[in-house]
Amino acid sequence: MTITADAAYQGASEGQPRHTDKPQYRTEDIHGMADFISTYPGVDANRLGALGICGGYTINAAKSDKRFKAVATLSMFNSGEVRRNGYMNTGLDTIAERLKAASDARAKEITTGEISFAGTVDFDALTDESIAKITTDLYREGMLYYGRTHRHPNSTFTYTASSLMDLMTWDARDQVELINVPLLMMAGEKAVFAKATGTKDKELFKIPGATHIQTYYVPEYVNQAVDKLKAFFGRTL
């Protein structure tokens, strides 16, 4: 039995204002899924496993939610670090400035009710040429995957500007040593893996030749991940 869901405020899920993107809400979504499936007929609540695609919030949930007996991630992405420091640490000089802008956006929400947004992409303007000009594999392939080929009609890259107050001060690595169950990270972030000292049953499995986004949908890479997951959860659950 498997449960998956869009994050609150996004995609097919409810919640206002739309596109709110706060780590604590995403983590609570995962706790809520564990609540629901634990009481579903036929489910053995003592054999719950968690799989995070991108995976940072799943790692965060597993730190405290000991209902999960095994945890796996695919292409773990530390969204807090990237929002704070910029991709490949290109935004280190503007952290305070961006936090001030996020704080101002929250103040405007409270005083006027007007919501400011960041990360907005005009999907109608996406062309092969414009995507090809993106220099990094992660963002170029992400624009194709999330913006064109696999996008939910309600999904965007947009998030409320005030969400950065929470996103920029969050880090998936914080207290990751609290995870004390079997852990499998596929194409994972080495820094998170190294800090996961609470469990001795852990493995970092790299999928040769695959980029971050390709592990989501390219059959030759997905099949390797699925085979690894079958063995991992078959052994641990």
Side-chain angles (χ1 to χ4, degrees):
M1 186 73 65
T2 303
I3 183 172
T4 186
D6 286 342
Y9 308 94
Q10 304 182 45
S13 292
E14 298 178 349
Q16 296 291 336
R18 299 302 295 171
H19 312 304
T20 298
D21 191 1
K22 298 189 177 186
Q24 62 267 37
Y25 295 169
R26 293 226 185 202
T27 302
E28 182 58 29
D29 288 340
I30 297 168
H31 294 320
M33 283 188 278
D35 294 341
F36 183 86
I37 201 170
S38 294
T39 59
Y40 199 85
V43 169
D44 184 349
N46 293 313
R47 297 176 61 207
L48 291 187
L51 167 63
I53 308 297
C54 250
Y57 298 119
T58 299
I59 287 289
N60 198 50
K63 296 171 189 175
S64 62
D65 200 329
K66 300 310 175 183
R67 292 174 294 182
F68 297 122
K69 307 307 183 195
V71 181
T73 66
L74 178 64
S75 294
M76 214 292 291
F77 188 73
N78 191 354
S79 58
E81 181 182 28
V82 174
R83 296 293 193 206
R84 179 172 60 255
N85 296 346
Y87 183 65
M88 301 297 290
N89 292 324
T90 55
L92 292 174
D93 294 337
T94 62
I95 292 175
E97 177 184 335
R98 287 179 285 117
L99 280 172
K100 176 63 165 58
S103 302
D104 291 344
R106 177 160 179 152
K108 185 169 70 172
E109 289 178 20
I110 297 301
T111 56
T112 70
E114 182 180 349
I115 309 297
S116 299
F117 296 98
T120 302
V121 173
D122 183 357
F123 291 111
D124 294 331
L126 282 180
T127 64
D128 292 340
E129 292 77 12
S130 63
I131 293 174
K133 291 179 181 178
I134 301 174
T135 57
T136 60
D137 288 342
L138 178 64
Y139 288 142
R140 183 175 62 255
E141 294 175 0
M143 193 65 69
L144 282 169
Y145 181 86
Y146 290 112
R148 182 180 290 174
T149 62
H150 292 75
R151 185 172 74 89
H152 186 283
N154 294 340
S155 293
T156 70
F157 291 100
T158 302
Y159 52 92
T160 59
S162 61
S163 293
L164 281 170
M165 289 177 60
D166 302 86
L167 285 164
M168 290 175 65
T169 54
W170 180 81
D171 197 304
R173 296 169 299 189
D174 290 343
Q175 301 184 68
V176 73
E177 66 276 6
L178 293 176
I179 295 177
N180 61 349
V181 296
L183 172 66
L184 170 65
M185 302 187 77
M186 297 178 290
E189 169 58 49
K190 291 182 181 179
V192 174
F193 184 80
K195 290 188 69 175
T197 58
T199 177
K200 300 302 181 185
D201 187 348
K202 64 177 184 175
E203 181 181 357
L204 177 60
F205 175 70
K206 292 188 176 182
I207 302 173
T211 61
H212 182 112
I213 300 296
Q214 287 173 343
T215 63
Y216 296 171
Y217 73 100
V218 177
E220 65 177 290
Y221 303 133
V222 172
N223 291 341
Q224 291 182 61
V226 169
D227 288 344
K228 191 68 177 178
L229 285 167
K230 285 180 179 178
F232 174 71
F233 283 128
R235 174 177 65 82
T236 57
L237 299 179

